[in-house]
Amino acid sequence: DSGVTQTPKHLITATGQRVTLRCSPRSGDLSVYWYQQSLDQGLQFLIQYYNGEERAKGNILERFSAQQFPDLHSELNLSSLELGDSALYFCASSAAGSPGNTIYFGEGSWLTVV
Amino acid sequence: AQTVTQSQPEMSVQEAETVTLSCTYDTSENNYYLFWYKQPPSRQMILVIRQEAYKQQNATENRFSVNFQKAAKSFSLKISDSQLGDTAMYFCAFSRNNDMRFGAGTRLTVKP
């Protein structure tokens, strides 16, 4: 158990809909990352937050948005969903100054768009 | 921007033998960290090994070791005495200032 909690674990929704994925980082971790992994693909970096502020942005679509709240949990909002958005969405966290900048992953949220 | 390249999409190895997975990266930075993560069929991302760029000594974790060549920007993973449970996708990753980027992965199959 990495200590990073993601909900829901599985989600099925229709095209055009909007969903919210939630992440609770490890206790004390200030950084939260979101990654997308499509079937048999690598990890695509979406966005990083550090202590409530956006730190880095990757290949995140305009239909997607995220935020990190004062209690450090984070949410990834996916709207106007398309079939191609079906993927495993990972949240990860790290502590500032953590050994080797190591990030720890949650178990992921499986999103299926039908 | 940092890039990470894993040139072997798939590899296989016989149980109990040794296999080496390759990874190269591109950066102009001097201080950074390198990682190998394992993703078994469960899709959980598991940290295998970590290397600090300022350390010349290669990291080792039980049957897993790395060959870190800083000048060549190469970071390969050696798995000794391969076990069936080592079957997984392996991702190489580069990190600096908590910004971590991954390679495309190598799918390793350990055959009985």
Side-chain angles (χ1 to χ4, degrees):
Chain A
D1 183 4
S2 68
V4 179
T5 304
Q6 290 187 246
T7 57
K9 286 186 167 45
H10 298 273
L11 186 59
I12 302 174
T13 190
T15 54
Q17 296 297 304
R18 171 189 170 94
V19 299
T20 297
L21 309 181
R22 181 188 170 96
C23 171
S24 294
R26 295 187 318 151
S27 179
D29 283 1
L30 299 179
S31 274
V32 169
Y33 309 75
W34 286 98
Y35 289 88
Q36 179 194 55
Q37 187 180 35
S38 302
L39 189 64
D40 291 332
Q41 296 293 314
L43 288 144
Q44 294 295 320
F45 169 67
L46 295 179
I47 199 163
Q48 178 200 358
Y49 281 84
Y50 179 80
N51 201 21
E53 299 290 327
E54 183 182 303
R55 171 66 69 88
K57 185 178 279 191
N59 299 321
I60 187 167
L61 300 173
E62 286 191 8
R63 300 184 286 109
F64 297 179
S65 65
Q67 54 183 329
Q68 186 180 26
F69 294 87
D71 68 353
L72 301 177
H73 91 271
S74 179
E75 293 181 356
L76 178 66
N77 300 297
L78 315 174
S79 62
S80 303
L81 285 167
E82 303 175 358
L83 296 178
D85 297 327
S86 295
L88 179 58
Y89 291 84
F90 281 109
C91 173
S93 73
S94 71
S98 64
N101 286 197
T102 301
I103 70 172
Y104 298 90
F105 285 81
E107 294 185 353
S109 292
W110 282 95
L111 172 65
T112 302
V113 182
V114 297
Chain B
Q2 285 73 226
T3 58
V4 180
T5 302
Q6 293 179 251
S7 59
Q8 305 152 314
E10 294 190 20
M11 294 190 71
S12 64
V13 63
Q14 290 297 132
E15 192 176 10
E17 296 194 345
T18 296
V19 64
T20 298
L21 309 183
S22 300
C23 173
T24 59
Y25 57 94
D26 184 26
T27 184
S28 58
E29 303 292 343
N30 192 46
N31 297 318
Y32 48 87
Y33 302 88
L34 296 163
F35 303 81
W36 281 96
Y37 280 85
K38 167 185 176 180
Q39 188 179 42
S42 67
R43 304 298 289 269
Q44 175 72 36
M45 291 290 289
I46 302 166
L47 177 65
V48 175
I49 200 164
R50 172 181 60 231
Q51 174 81 41
E52 292 90 342
Y54 61 85
K55 288 188 176 179
Q56 292 186 347
Q57 185 174 5
N58 289 325
T60 298
E61 288 287 341
N62 301 313
R63 297 182 296 107
F64 298 87
S65 61
V66 299
N67 183 7
F68 173 47
Q69 301 290 329
K70 191 172 184 179
K73 298 181 183 177
S74 171
F75 183 61
S76 60
L77 175 69
K78 186 172 80 171
I79 306 174
S80 303
D81 185 25
S82 297
Q83 301 176 359
L84 296 179
D86 295 333
T87 292
M89 281 287 285
Y90 287 81
F91 292 97
C92 178
F94 173 105
S95 175
R96 176 175 163 78
N97 294 334
N98 291 98
D99 181 6
M100 182 173 285
R101 304 302 170 106
F102 289 81
T106 295
R107 184 179 302 279
L108 176 67
T109 301
V110 180
K111 299 180 178 179

